[in-house]
Amino acid sequence: MSAEVVWGGRWEHPDCGAAGEAVWEDSDTASSGHDDCNIGPAGAEVMWSAEWTCHGCGAGGDGQFDDDTVTYADHECDDEEAAA
């Protein structure tokens, strides 16, 4: 995987209405930091909707996942091909 892949997304906690945005590198954990909420049932999930972009070749994709998930774009960038 390329170090040039960057994720950006929005998280939401539907039970209390909290939300936020973040940017992180590929293979990092997407974490909202919204761990101490006591609104809603125990174990209520914070959900992410995010997109990734490769700054080497311009490829991209998206995903939805739970909070505190390690994200992988599963993208192998060929910078020589992108430069052609």
Side-chain angles (χ1 to χ4, degrees):
M1 279 175 246
S2 171
E4 295 190 29
V5 171
V6 177
W7 286 83
R10 179 172 175 78
W11 62 267
E12 294 182 0
H13 185 217
D15 291 332
C16 74
E21 296 179 351
V23 175
W24 63 97
E25 293 184 16
D26 199 33
S27 303
D28 283 351
T29 301
S31 181
S32 68
H34 189 70
D35 299 329
D36 59 352
C37 183
N38 59 3
I39 297 175
E45 295 294 324
V46 168
M47 297 299 299
W48 283 88
S49 294
E51 297 179 348
W52 63 267
T53 302
C54 176
H55 292 290
C57 68
D62 58 15
Q64 292 185 321
F65 41 85
D66 295 333
D67 200 24
D68 298 320
T69 296
V70 178
T71 55
Y72 297 100
D74 196 25
H75 172 68
E76 295 291 331
C77 182
D78 184 354
D79 288 335
E80 289 180 20
E81 186 176 299

